[in-house]
Each structure stands twice: as C-alpha cells, then as structure tokens.
Amino acid sequence: MFVRITFNTAEINRIILEVAMPFQYEKDLITLGNYTQVFSSYSPDMLDEIRNAVMDGTPIGNYIQLCHGDGYKLNQIRLCLREYVDKQYINTAMTARTLFMIRSIIKERKDVACLLPYIKKNNMISIDAESLEKVVQTVLLGADISKIDFIHLPKPSIDTVCEGLKLGYPMWLVLGTRQKYSNQKLRLLMRAMALGINIHPFLEGDWGLEQIGMILQQYVFVNLDVLFQHINHRVTTEQLLAVLALLKEGYDLSFICAKDKRGDLIFNMYQMYAIGKFYKEGIDPVGIITSDMSDSKIEKKLEDILSEKSKLSGSLGKRNKQ
C-alpha cells in the first residue's frame, strides 16, 4: 500500500527555511527571506548563486562584491568553497574559467602548488588574468610548468610558451638561456623543435630571425651538424645564403667559413661564391686566396691558374707526341 504525502506551498517554504543555512554579509545575515532585498540591484544569475549559497550553507559573503556582478565567477567560488579548495587558490582576480580548471586540477590530483607564484594574497595575481588562465590550462593538460617563470614574460610569449609546453616541447631550454626572445623567435624555435632540429646552436648568441628562417627552410637539403660546425650567430644573411648553397653542392666549408678573432666570417657572399668555383674545378684555394682579394680578383686568379694548367697540359701533349 502506498501512502500519498502532500504538502502545501506554505509547508514547503517552511521546510526550505529550516534546511537553509544563512551566511554573513557585512552587517546582514543573509537568508532566503531577505537576500532579494539586500541584493536587489544584482542580476538574476548573481541572485541565483546567492540563493544557492544560502541553501547549501556556503559562506560566500566575502566574495560577492569582489565578483563585480560575474555570476559564473561567484558560482565557481561557491563550488570551490563547497569542495574545500584551499582558500589560497580562491582568488577573485582570476577568471571564472581559471577557478573551474583549478577545481579540476585538484580533482585529478595534479600538482596545483606550481601555480602559487602567480596567486598572491588580497585577491591579486602576478600575471594578467587571461595569461594565468592559459598557464592553469597548461597544468590541467598535464604539462610541467615548474621550470618556467612566467612573471617577466610578455603576454604573447606566455601564450607561445604554454602552447609549446602543451605540445611537449622543452621550452625551459629556451628560457633558461636568460636571453630575451621575441615571440617571433620563440615560434621559430618551436618550429625547429617540431621538425626535430637540435635547437641548442640557436641558443648560443643572438641569432637573427631571417637567419633562423633560412636554415629551417633548407634543413632537408643540408647537413645541419656540418653547417653549425662552421657558422655562428654572427653570420650575415648574405653569407648564410652562400654557405647554404655551397654546402648543398658538397663543398668543404673549412676555408669558405674561415673566421677572424671575433668569430666573424672573413669572406663576404661574393668572395664565397668565387671560392666555390675553385672547388668546382678541383683546386684547393688554401694558400692562394686571402680575404683582402675581391671576388673579381679571386675569379681572375682562378682563370690564370686554369689558363696555366691548360698551357702546361698542351705542352705535355706535344712532348708526348714527339
């Protein structure tokens, strides 16, 4: 036998009031009977969260004004409090989505302490809210941010570094050099890592964007180990253009890429191409060519040598016939 139990509206309201647990807001004790009057200027979604807080006994009073009318943020704060999230991670300077992801990180038992350098007391944060959201998302996706200091990075670089970490790239190798990398250079280095290129040579000295880009474009055609044995960040775009072309031809770079005491290549692009003609003819330019010779003089020297060889070959031919 089933017994139907019915309640009238007054009875239901009485039960709700008995279950509800008021919370303190400034000088007022907020209840289901007065929350709409106390917060009459607030939006419906804020009022819903305040009502929910009374219903489940969550003390959100200190956070209501700090949410500045953001009902979703108040919702996430209420849930953080209900789930006993450590209050040092409940910060109204964060976005609501950041708070949601912090709850998720804790539920998944991932390291949340790595975020503490960016969460300060008195509802302040060390980096802007949007960047912090990217950092927290990176942690949620399982990336290790412990070796990165985001505080002094420009916002575009934070986005790029987080993107790299999420892809599994060791971005700390780049930032650990203490050089100031532009966002463009960070993205080029990420491209290099995506191609499987060893980026360590690019971390030694201040490489230009154009030089890095040229090397990435040609990496399938040349041996990069050989290339980096002979050049450094001081190579000019014009010199690099010649070096890449001559390396593709298989020429020895030892002399072509000779350097002075500062590490600068002593030959310019035109001299390099002229020296390459020596190798093409099978003639070793070492001891013949110097850096003070112009490309035209280098080519003239080659012509003289070839002419002399031709004469010598002709003379030998005549003697053999005799």
Side-chain angles (χ1 to χ4, degrees), residues 183-197:
N183 194 48
Q184 287 176 297
K185 187 173 289 187
L186 284 174
R187 290 205 166 273
L188 277 176
L189 294 175
M190 280 175 56
R191 175 61 178 160
M193 287 187 275
L195 295 171
I197 295 172

Side-chain angles (χ1 to χ4, degrees), residues 197-208:
I197 295 172
N198 176 16
I199 66 167
H200 283 88
F202 292 126
L203 306 181
E204 298 174 5
D206 187 15
W207 285 83

Side-chain angles (χ1 to χ4, degrees), residues 238-276:
E238 292 77 15
Q239 288 171 325
L240 181 57
L241 187 65
V243 170
L244 288 169
L246 296 170
L247 182 57
K248 279 198 288 186
E249 294 296 326
Y251 298 148
D252 182 11
L253 297 181
S254 301
F255 183 66
I256 294 172
C257 293
K259 301 179 186 68
D260 60 20
K261 293 181 180 179
R262 296 183 303 173
D264 291 323
L265 300 184
I266 62 175
F267 296 114
N268 63 36
M269 178 181 68
Y270 302 105
Q271 290 172 309
M272 288 178 177
Y273 281 129
I275 294 170

Side-chain angles (χ1 to χ4, degrees), residues 161-172:
V161 170
C162 286
E163 183 181 329
L165 289 172
K166 285 184 282 189
L167 291 170
Y169 301 149
M171 301 302 291
W172 55 87

Side-chain angles (χ1 to χ4, degrees), residues 8 103 106 141 214 220 252 292 308:
N8 58 34
R103 291 174 52 226
I106 294 171
L141 292 174
M214 289 171 64
V220 294
D252 182 11
D292 58 354
E308 189 65 30

Side-chain angles (χ1 to χ4, degrees), residues 22-54 58-67 69 74:
F23 64 82
Q24 194 70 34
Y25 173 76
E26 296 182 349
K27 295 181 180 180
D28 295 311
L29 188 65
I30 305 304
T31 68
L32 291 179
N34 70 358
Y35 80 96
T36 55
Q37 288 76 37
V38 176
F39 302 103
S40 59
S41 63
Y42 280 71
S43 63
D45 57 338
M46 285 288 288
L47 289 174
D48 284 345
E49 287 307 316
I50 293 168
R51 181 179 184 277
N52 290 338
V54 176
T58 308
I60 63 170
N62 293 334
Y63 299 96
I64 294 174
Q65 285 191 11
L66 294 172
C67 285
L74 188 59

